[in-house]
Amino acid sequence: MAGQCTWLAIPGSDCGGRTGKQPIRFRAGPAVIFEALGMPLLCLLSLGSSVESSLGSDCDSSHHARSTQKHYRRNKRNFLRLWSSGCPETQSLRPTPGEAQEWAESLEKLLLHPYGQRAFRAFLESEFSEENLDFWMACEDYRKLRSCDKLQDNARKIYDQYVTIQAPKEINLDSQTRDVTNRNILLPTRSCFEQAQRRIFGLMEKDSYPRFLRSPLYQALVQPNGAM
């Protein structure tokens, strides 16, 4: 699922073949998989299957992992260049450094600003978790609907796109929130996605939002004469 991170426990071992009593735990996910324990990606994957096979060539694994890291960093740089050369409409909305600094006060303030919302989505896309903001925005639009027919049609579209198991852009919901949403969708109201929307907002607020504030994109916006 996009944006998820998982803690994996691996029998105590390292790339040199040494073993220990304590298992090694690392966090695997799109944003951190290349930095887990500061060890090469292929080496980490080899640890998981050390019971069945040897590590093979350390040199080949390390070289491939370094190439993967360089490719990941290059994608980040390309993302920043593409954003900085975006459409004139987007660039015309660019905030002053003072306005951008206010986004650090809350995620709500960030999302209220058109440029901030677009910048945050571009950042989420670079981390493969843009479905969280897309769902949140879809819920915001849904709550503004007035026609009962539109409510029913759009509720099903949002549910099929984001909520149902194995949806194209499935979001990370706990079982209790998913169950509540499953019941609500049977008789859609303007608040049928309210709990799920709060859940996803909380995930963005605690996870993606702090990383966005530390990103080169945001840091360039808050610096006088910042260039992207």
Side-chain angles (χ1 to χ4, degrees):
M1 187 186 306
Q4 273 194 304
C5 291
T6 305
W7 283 102
L8 301 178
I10 297 171
S13 178
D14 60 24
C15 292
R18 296 184 296 273
T19 58
K21 296 181 179 180
Q22 297 299 322
I24 295 172
R25 301 175 71 248
F26 71 92
R27 193 179 184 218
V32 298
I33 194 168
F34 301 124
E35 300 176 1
L37 296 180
M39 299 165 65
L41 173 61
L42 292 186
C43 185
L44 286 170
L45 295 177
S46 296
L47 283 172
S49 59
S50 60
V51 176
E52 302 178 14
S53 63
S54 62
L55 288 174
S57 171
D58 289 339
C59 293
D60 289 344
S61 296
S62 297
H63 175 74
H64 187 77
R66 285 195 297 272
S67 298
T68 304
Q69 287 178 319
K70 288 180 181 178
H71 179 70
Y72 182 77
R73 289 194 295 268
R74 185 163 58 250
N75 283 348
K76 285 283 190 177
R77 290 194 296 269
N78 289 341
F79 151 69
L80 291 174
R81 282 197 293 270
L82 285 171
W83 176 256
S84 64
S85 60
C87 66
E89 179 187 0
T90 297
Q91 293 304 308
S92 68
L93 298 173
R94 178 166 175 156
T96 65
E99 289 175 327
Q101 288 173 1
E102 292 180 358
W103 298 351
E105 296 177 10
S106 68
L107 179 56
E108 290 93 337
K109 281 200 172 185
L110 170 65
L111 296 181
L112 282 173
H113 196 287
Y115 192 99
Q117 188 180 105
R118 296 182 190 185
F120 187 52
R121 191 192 185 281
F123 174 77
L124 293 178
E125 189 171 356
S126 75
E127 293 200 329
F128 310 105
S129 60
E130 70 275 10
E131 73 281 352
N132 290 327
L133 182 58
D134 290 347
F135 171 72
W136 185 86
M137 292 171 61
C139 291
E140 288 293 288
D141 292 338
Y142 175 80
R143 288 163 52 189
K144 299 173 185 176
L145 296 175
R146 292 292 177 262
S147 167
C148 292
D149 290 338
K150 287 185 177 180
L151 279 177
Q152 188 167 2
D153 291 343
N154 282 271
R156 175 51 61 178
K157 290 178 181 178
I158 293 173
Y159 180 84
D160 290 343
Q161 183 77 359
Y162 299 102
V163 180
T164 188
I165 300 298
Q166 296 185 341
K169 302 180 73 173
E170 185 180 355
I171 54 176
N172 183 15
L173 295 177
D174 60 276
S175 59
Q176 192 269 341
T177 301
R178 191 179 299 277
D179 289 343
V180 169
T181 307
N182 288 342
R183 291 194 298 270
N184 290 345
I185 200 67
L186 298 176
L187 291 172
T189 65
R190 292 185 185 86
S191 61
C192 66
F193 295 109
E194 184 175 341
Q195 183 169 330
Q197 187 183 19
R198 284 200 308 266
R199 163 76 177 176
I200 293 304
F201 185 89
L203 290 177
M204 292 192 296
E205 189 174 41
K206 294 178 182 178
D207 187 20
S208 305
Y209 174 59
R211 287 201 303 275
F212 171 77
L213 296 179
R214 296 191 297 267
S215 71
L217 170 59
Y218 178 72
Q219 292 302 316
L221 288 170
V222 298
Q223 297 297 327
N225 302 317
M228 289 189 295

